[in-house]
């Protein structure tokens, strides 16, 4: 992967020669409110502080060269654009003075700013050197009351934030970045500042060791030090992994040349800036790998092609992005010829303080596979629209996240490996266990049926009852199975050809569309009848039509064991359903055992009897296909659409 990161850095620097710009770290912006960068200008001539806010844009972090915090834990902070305003009010200018050449004209500005605006509180401990110089709060029309250095800094920050609120009418929580200026000159815009940053970034080459770079295979100054990299490419924090158990010999593990080192730093930042995304709550880095030299393609701007790659990724996350691409197709560059020569690496990770834990790494996924996946998602979305009508049948990866129940504790999803198995199957074309999927779908059904929302990442809807949530998710589960089967990604679950003896074309066509075999079809039809009984029971219990009633209003569902049902239990359930059809009455006072429902039961019984001698479905599958029919039948009753002619005649 390090070679790929190096190449990305090379491509970026070919179009943007400023290394400092290449190291700029992106800032996530809110879509709901305005956020700001605030320039703190220390005017030594007028002896006042000028505070100027600027609304943040997607390029602000780059324009003001925000590169994060200085390298290393507890390192002195001296960067010119920061997130923590405390740095500017204490250590930034003193630390800059230690680094800046005294002969440089700007040194006098720095020294003047320290003398005019800062108080020297002295040192009680050498470890508190960063709090020796504290901004004088008189410049915010306040007086210092704290004698302790660290508390004095907090006091100054408090006065400043009060000034922001009252005089500039900005909430400090809406300020994402601060940039320091002296006499109108931004620190980050001064060439000497960039020189100092690069000196810090490349001080690992101070020993002037020369050798062959393992990445470029060229002679250069080399290092084995990788602690400044954002990604960990090999073990470098355990001494026993170093040659001769000597930390100086990490260079023998991998010698990185100065030129490669620079491009890796830029490449990492570019990845975080351009290819860092989320699959719902799961952070993921997408690393493109080119099988050609993009620098030789004069008509392909690197950044534009990067946008193209991420647009394709977004389309498999949510089909809304696909619709956007379709709308912009006339203005969009055609990359179909070179997409064959690009593969993607998906790195799902968890951020823990300064470290990054890799949860799943999916390598070498062709870009064209994403297009194939898009088409499959659109096909099943169309199936959902055709058979289920109104609803969200988006089968993008973000939506699929809620079809695999994962236990949560303290807001942490500690079963994320389960959804990553599904993502791995869809992205890497790896066969997924059909039995495992059925088990997940039954857990999903139980979550809704028994309202176990506190245990899983699946939330309770404010709009729909648990019954409606059960119905919609079971329909989505059927669409997912159809999509996986079409992509040849499930280990079993295929069907044989079934000839149905039903006149309801919509029902027959759906079972054929979903490739149900005889046993599956039998249970599906039984589920459709259970749905009809459930609707009638709901109306009887409530006395009114309430489509959003919960499962507690449908006693028939208590006949289904959500843990699994064997053949004997299925036969008993079949008899009970027939009896309920005879007993339960519809809203017009007639029993549900009308001609239409009797035909469905007869077909269910015919297919069941035909399959019993060679029953291959597991106990869990039995329940899943019953619930599939229940979901289908309930959705038809909710929409009131696609009633067969026979059903309409019986309701007259």
């Amino acid at each position: 992967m390090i070679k790929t990161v190096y190449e990305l850095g090379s491509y970026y620097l070919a179009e943007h020669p400023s290394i400092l710009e290449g190291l700029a770290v992106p800032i996530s912006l809110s879509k709901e409110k305005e956020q700001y960068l605030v320039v703190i200008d220390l005017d030594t001539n007028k002896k006042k502080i000028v505070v100027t806010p600027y609304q943040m844009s997607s390029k602000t972090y780059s324009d003001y060269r925000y590169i994060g915090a200085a390298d290393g834990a507890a390192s002195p902070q001296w960067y010119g654009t920061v997130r923590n305003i405390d740095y500017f009010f204490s250590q930034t200018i003193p630390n800059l003075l230690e680094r800046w050449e005294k002969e440089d004209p700007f040194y006098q500005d720095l020294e003047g700013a320290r003398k005019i605006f800062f108080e020297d509180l002295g040192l009680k401990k050498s470890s508190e050197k960063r709090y020796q110089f504290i901004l004088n709060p008189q410049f915010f029309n306040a007086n210092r009351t704290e004698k302790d250095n660290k508390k004095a800094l907090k006091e100054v920050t408090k006065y400043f934030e009060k000034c922001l609120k009252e005089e500039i009418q900005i909430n400090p929580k809406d300020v994402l970045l601060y940039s320091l200026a002296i006499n109108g000159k931004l620190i980050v815009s001064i060439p000497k500042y960039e020189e100092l940053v690069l000196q810090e970034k490349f001080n690992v080459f101070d020993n002037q060791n020369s050798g062959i770079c393992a990445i470029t295979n060229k002679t250069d100054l080399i290092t084995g030090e990788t602690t400044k990299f954002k990604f960990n490419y090999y073990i470098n924090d355990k001494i026993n992994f170093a040659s001769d158990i000597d930390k100086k010999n990490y260079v023998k593990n991998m010698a990185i040349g100065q030129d490669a080192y620079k491009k890796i730093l830029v490449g990492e930042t570019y990845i975080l800036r351009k290819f860092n995304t989320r699959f719902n709550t799961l952070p993921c880095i997408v690393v493109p790998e080119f099988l050609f030299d993009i620098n030789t393609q004069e008509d392909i701007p690197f950044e534009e092609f990067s946008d193209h790659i991420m647009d394709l990724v977004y389309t498999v996350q949510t089909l809304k992005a696909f619709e956007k691409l379709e709308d912009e197709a006339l203005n969009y560059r055609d990359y179909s010829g070179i997409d064959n020569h690009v593969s993607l690496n998906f790195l799902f990770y968890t951020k823990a303080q300064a470290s990054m834990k890799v949860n799943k790494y999916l390598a070498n996924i062709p870009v064209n596979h994403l297009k194939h996946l898009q088409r499959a998602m659109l096909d099943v979305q169309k199936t959902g629209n055709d058979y289920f009508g109104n609803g969200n049948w988006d089968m993008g990866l973000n939506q699929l996240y809620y079809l695999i129940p994962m236990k949560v504790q303290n807001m942490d999803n500690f079963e994320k490996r389960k959804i990553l198995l599904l993502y791995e199957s869809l992205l890497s074309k790896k066969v997924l266990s059909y039995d495992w999927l059925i088990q997940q779908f039954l857990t999903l059904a139980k979550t809704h049926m028994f309202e176990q929302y506190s245990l899983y990442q699946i939330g309770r809807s404010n709009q729909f009852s648990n019954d409606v949530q059960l119905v919609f998710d079971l329909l989505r589960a059927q669409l997912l199975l159809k999509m996986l089967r079409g992509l040849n990604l499930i280990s079993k679950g295929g069907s044989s050809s079934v000839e149905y003896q039903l006149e309801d074309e919509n029902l027959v066509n759906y079972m054929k569309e979903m490739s149900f075999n005889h046993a599956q079809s039998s249970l599906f039809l039984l589920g459709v009848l259970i749905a009809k009984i459930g609707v009638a029971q709901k109306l009887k219990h409530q006395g009114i039509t309430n489509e959003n009633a919960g499962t507690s209003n449908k006693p028939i569902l208590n006949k289904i064991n959500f843990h699994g049902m064997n053949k004997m239990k299925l036969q008993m359930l079949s008899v009970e359903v027939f009896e309920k059809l005879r007993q339960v009455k519809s809203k017009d006072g007639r029993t549900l055992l009308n001609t239409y429902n009797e035909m469905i039961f007869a077909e269910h019984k015919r297919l069941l009897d035909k399959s019993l001698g060679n029953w291959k479905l597991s106990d869990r599958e039995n329940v899943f296909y019953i619930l599939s029919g229940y979901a289908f039948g309930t959705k038809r009753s909710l929409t009131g659409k696609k009633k067969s002619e026979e059903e309409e005649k019986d309701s007259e």
Side-chain angles (χ1 to χ4, degrees):
M1 180 174 168
I2 192 170
K3 179 71 173 178
T4 302
V5 176
Y6 160 79
E7 290 175 347
L8 289 174
S10 301
Y11 297 145
Y12 179 84
L13 289 174
E15 294 184 5
H16 307 83
S18 170
I19 299 177
L20 204 58
E21 182 181 332
L23 295 177
V25 178
I27 298 289
S28 297
L29 300 180
S30 171
K31 296 180 180 179
E32 300 174 356
K33 60 181 179 180
E34 294 182 353
Q35 293 171 305
Y36 302 90
L37 172 139
V38 171
V39 173
I40 309 294
D41 189 358
L42 307 181
D43 189 333
T44 61
N45 298 315
K46 297 181 180 179
K47 296 184 180 181
K48 69 175 185 177
I49 299 176
V50 180
V51 179
T52 308
Y54 296 94
Q55 187 174 337
M56 290 280 292
S57 72
S58 59
K59 295 183 178 180
T60 302
Y61 73 90
S62 179
D63 294 340
Y64 285 83
R65 305 295 194 266
Y66 172 64
I67 57 174
D71 296 331
S75 296
Q77 300 299 318
W78 55 275
Y79 289 167
T81 298
V82 299
R83 299 201 73 169
N84 188 349
I85 189 60
D86 286 359
Y87 297 155
F88 287 173
F89 294 163
S90 56
Q91 57 184 304
T92 298
I93 289 181
N95 288 330
L96 279 171
L97 282 167
E98 290 183 3
R99 289 161 173 76
W100 216 278
E101 291 181 4
K102 293 183 179 181
E103 293 76 14
D104 188 273
F106 193 70
Y107 182 89
Q108 303 302 320
D109 291 335
L110 287 169
E111 191 172 44
R114 185 181 66 181
K115 290 179 179 178
I116 294 171
F117 295 100
F118 289 79
E119 294 182 277
D120 185 350
L121 303 186
L123 283 177
K124 299 180 182 67
K125 301 177 185 177
S126 59
S127 60
E128 294 184 350
K129 183 180 179 181
R130 68 186 64 195
Y131 306 116
Q132 178 179 354
F133 294 94
I134 304 297
L135 189 80
N136 192 327
Q138 290 181 357
F139 292 97
F140 301 134
N141 299 317
N143 294 310
R144 178 169 59 86
T145 60
E146 295 288 350
K147 294 182 179 180
D148 179 80
N149 298 35
K150 196 170 183 179
K151 291 181 179 179
L153 173 60
K154 291 183 178 179
E155 187 178 36
V156 172
T157 302
K158 179 181 176 181
Y159 290 142
F160 169 73
E161 291 180 344
K162 182 180 179 182
C163 177
L164 273 182
K165 286 182 179 179
E166 296 180 356
E167 297 184 20
I168 306 181
Q169 285 79 50
I170 287 180
N171 189 331
K173 294 181 180 180
D174 295 333
V175 180
L176 299 184
L177 291 176
Y178 298 92
S179 195
L180 183 62
I182 298 178
N183 298 329
K185 297 179 184 176
L186 283 170
I187 300 287
V188 295
S189 68
I190 300 173
K192 181 63 180 178
Y193 171 79
E194 180 167 355
E195 182 183 325
L196 290 172
V197 172
L198 297 183
Q199 284 178 9
E200 181 194 61
K201 296 296 182 184
F202 296 104
N203 60 14
V204 294
F205 297 97
D206 287 350
N207 55 18
Q208 298 292 302
N209 287 339
S210 182
I212 302 297
C213 174
I215 297 172
T216 64
N217 204 31
K218 296 178 181 178
T219 301
D220 200 351
L221 295 178
I222 58 171
T223 184
E225 177 65 62
T226 61
T227 56
K228 294 186 180 183
F229 289 158
K230 293 178 173 61
F231 306 150
N232 192 6
Y233 302 100
Y234 63 91
I235 296 174
N236 60 3
D237 60 350
K238 294 180 175 61
I239 191 64
N240 54 311
F241 281 87
S243 180
D244 296 329
I245 315 182
D246 186 346
K247 66 179 182 179
K248 295 180 181 179
N249 290 333
Y250 276 121
V251 71
K252 295 183 179 180
N253 295 18
M254 177 177 285
I256 303 175
Q258 190 170 20
D259 180 66
Y261 190 91
K262 171 184 67 178
K263 291 173 180 175
I264 291 170
L265 285 176
V266 172
E268 288 181 331
T269 307
Y270 187 72
I271 287 171
L272 294 176
R273 184 162 65 236
K274 209 75 173 180
F275 300 113
N276 199 10
T277 184
R278 280 181 176 272
F279 285 73
N280 220 293
T281 64
L282 303 178
C284 178
I285 291 172
V286 182
V287 184
E289 194 164 349
F290 302 97
L291 305 181
F292 64 96
D293 187 352
I294 198 169
N295 285 332
T296 63
Q297 310 291 323
E298 295 181 358
D299 62 333
I300 303 178
F302 174 59
E303 293 229 44
E304 184 178 309
F305 189 67
S306 298
D307 291 336
H308 164 68
I309 289 173
M310 286 311 293
D311 282 339
L312 293 176
V313 173
Y314 293 145
T315 60
V316 297
Q317 290 178 295
T318 166
L319 294 183
K320 292 179 182 178
F322 182 85
E323 295 166 1
K324 176 184 175 183
L325 281 181
E326 290 289 287
D327 293 339
E328 297 175 356
L330 294 177
N331 300 321
Y332 206 79
R333 185 185 296 266
D334 183 14
Y335 288 115
S336 57
I338 61 174
D339 281 347
N340 294 318
H341 305 290
V342 181
S343 63
L344 304 179
N345 303 298
F346 289 78
L347 191 154
F348 292 90
Y349 68 93
T350 300
K351 190 75 172 175
Q353 296 180 345
S355 63
M356 178 186 292
K357 176 187 175 183
V358 176
N359 296 315
K360 179 72 73 173
Y361 182 62
L362 308 179
N364 301 320
I365 298 168
V367 164
N368 277 342
H369 174 61
L370 296 188
K371 297 179 179 179
H372 181 56
L373 193 55
Q374 293 164 16
R375 288 191 290 271
M377 290 174 173
L378 287 170
D379 286 344
V380 293
Q381 184 184 47
K382 183 178 185 302
T383 299
N385 290 331
D386 289 345
Y387 287 99
F388 309 145
N390 295 333
N392 179 14
W393 313 118
D394 179 352
M395 299 301 288
L397 298 181
N398 284 354
Q399 283 294 119
L400 299 185
Y401 179 86
Y402 296 103
L403 292 185
I404 307 296
M406 293 169 280
K407 290 184 178 179
V408 295
Q409 189 173 22
N410 298 326
M411 304 298 291
D412 179 35
N413 179 347
F414 59 88
E415 283 191 321
K416 57 178 72 72
R417 57 180 174 76
K418 294 168 70 174
I419 189 61
L420 290 175
L421 280 176
L422 177 58
Y423 288 171
E424 181 180 21
S425 175
L426 289 167
L427 293 171
S428 299
K429 296 187 284 189
K430 185 176 180 180
V431 173
L432 194 65
S433 168
Y434 170 81
D435 294 328
W436 177 82
L437 263 180
I438 295 297
Q439 181 180 348
Q440 304 313 308
F441 294 153
L442 283 195
T443 303
L444 176 68
K446 287 187 288 185
T447 301
H448 292 308
M449 176 66 185
F450 304 110
E451 301 184 84
Q452 299 173 332
Y453 299 113
S454 62
L455 299 178
Y456 300 98
Q457 92 285 8
I458 301 164
R460 181 191 302 272
S461 172
N462 294 325
Q463 184 179 1
F464 300 110
S465 70
N466 65 319
D467 186 38
V468 174
Q469 286 184 268
L470 170 67
V471 167
F472 275 79
D473 275 357
L474 262 295
L475 294 176
R476 293 188 189 100
Q478 294 173 68
L479 292 176
L480 176 57
L481 277 179
K482 173 179 170 57
M483 183 170 73
L484 290 170
R485 188 176 292 115
L487 293 168
N488 298 315
L489 295 179
I490 49 179
S491 53
K492 67 176 184 178
S495 68
S496 57
S497 178
V498 181
E499 292 296 327
Y500 296 100
Q501 298 177 12
L502 279 175
E503 296 182 12
D504 187 332
E505 292 185 2
N506 177 256
L507 194 54
V508 169
N509 290 340
Y510 179 75
M511 290 188 288
K512 289 182 177 180
E513 181 80 30
M514 304 306 289
S515 302
F516 290 157
N517 59 30
H518 289 81
Q520 292 165 349
S521 300
S522 170
L523 298 179
F524 180 83
L525 292 173
L526 184 63
V528 170
L529 293 174
I530 289 174
K532 293 178 178 293
I533 296 170
V535 169
Q537 288 178 332
K538 177 191 69 177
L539 296 179
K540 178 182 177 182
H541 277 261
Q542 295 182 319
I544 56 172
T545 301
N546 182 358
E547 295 180 349
N548 206 24
T551 53
S552 60
N553 294 279
K554 298 180 177 181
I556 186 64
L557 292 180
N558 295 326
K559 302 293 183 180
I560 302 174
N561 186 337
F562 280 66
H563 295 283
M565 299 178 70
N566 57 29
K567 285 195 299 182
M568 182 180 298
K569 296 291 185 182
L570 293 179
Q571 291 173 290
M572 293 172 60
L573 179 62
S574 177
V575 173
E576 287 188 78
V577 167
F578 185 77
E579 288 301 317
K580 288 296 180 183
L581 290 173
R582 294 176 57 186
Q583 297 169 6
V584 177
K585 296 181 180 180
S586 61
K587 60 183 178 181
D588 61 4
R590 291 185 289 180
T591 68
L592 294 179
L593 194 61
N594 52 42
T595 304
Y596 174 75
N597 290 339
E598 193 170 0
M599 290 177 62
I600 292 180
F601 185 85
E603 182 65 357
H604 146 70
K605 194 68 170 63
R606 182 184 75 84
L607 294 172
L608 179 66
D609 292 343
K610 187 173 183 177
S611 307
L612 282 175
N614 187 29
W615 195 266
K616 295 181 179 180
L617 300 184
S618 68
D619 293 357
R620 287 195 180 102
E621 284 180 274
N622 294 339
V623 176
F624 173 73
Y625 285 101
I626 291 173
L627 292 175
S628 296
Y630 168 76
F632 183 87
T634 304
K635 182 63 174 72
R636 290 216 299 187
S637 73
L638 290 175
T639 58
K641 295 179 180 180
K642 299 187 180 296
K643 292 176 94 178
S644 68
E645 291 181 4
E646 289 79 10
E647 191 173 10
E648 289 176 350
K649 288 178 182 178
D650 283 325
S651 63
E652 290 177 356

